[in-house]
Amino acid sequence: VKVIADAANETASTIGQEKEEVEKDLAEAKPALLEAEDALKAIRAEDIKNLKALKNPPVVIKIIFDGVLLLRRRPMGKCVMVEEKGTLCYKDNYTIASQMMSESTFLVQLQSFPKEAITDGDCELL
């Protein structure tokens, strides 16, 4: 019984340490999360309209929308390497993203996205 109790105490201690680390990481990430939520709430329909009007937006916008497609689990084109200003990178999916932005519920769905559904795999892909 003592062996079992000792093992249980050791396990509880390990769990307690891991819990403290996770809570510390969460506290450090919380300000960034709140800032991102505020930025998302500030997006207006006019902003989406302006993005759709860009025929060839900056690469950073294309990358962001590839991330949106991933998180919303939307179909994307096959990964193909292309040269962009002398650097090899993946071909963007901005055409597909533009179609997504044209959906009447896009902004509402974006702003109500269930962030708790984001998995470790999603983060790896991003």
Side-chain angles (χ1 to χ4, degrees), residues 58-69:
V59 173
V60 68
I61 291 180
K62 294 176 181 181
I63 291 170
I64 288 168
F65 275 97
D66 279 355
V68 173
L69 288 167

Side-chain angles (χ1 to χ4, degrees), residues 18-60:
E18 289 175 0
K19 181 182 176 195
E20 286 177 21
E21 288 178 32
V22 168
E23 287 175 348
K24 180 182 172 224
D25 290 346
L26 182 60
E28 289 175 2
K30 187 119 181 161
L33 174 64
L34 294 174
E35 186 178 336
E37 287 175 338
D38 288 344
L40 189 57
K41 289 175 192 171
I43 297 173
R44 301 167 298 137
E46 183 72 19
D47 299 325
I48 302 300
K49 181 180 172 188
N50 291 338
L51 283 171
K52 287 190 314 187
L54 297 174
K55 297 302 177 208
N56 189 21
V59 173
V60 68

Side-chain angles (χ1 to χ4, degrees), residues 94-108:
Y94 196 72
T95 302
I96 297 169
S98 292
Q99 293 167 358
M100 175 183 64
M101 287 187 278
S102 295
E103 297 169 5
S104 62
T105 58
F106 172 69
L107 184 55
V108 172

Side-chain angles (χ1 to χ4, degrees), residues 1-18:
V1 173
K2 181 171 178 6
V3 171
I4 294 172
D6 289 344
N9 286 334
E10 186 176 327
T11 300
S13 175
T14 301
I15 290 171
Q17 291 170 350
E18 289 175 0

Side-chain angles (χ1 to χ4, degrees), residues 50-92:
N50 291 338
L51 283 171
K52 287 190 314 187
L54 297 174
K55 297 302 177 208
N56 189 21
V59 173
V60 68
I61 291 180
K62 294 176 181 181
I63 291 170
I64 288 168
F65 275 97
D66 279 355
V68 173
L69 288 167
L70 280 168
L71 289 173
R72 295 188 72 205
R73 294 177 179 29
R74 294 296 187 96
M76 297 175 71
K78 184 178 179 181
C79 288
V80 176
M81 297 298 285
V82 294
E83 188 172 331
E84 184 80 33
K85 296 181 182 176
T87 303
L88 282 178
C89 58
Y90 289 107
K91 176 159 178 26
D92 64 81

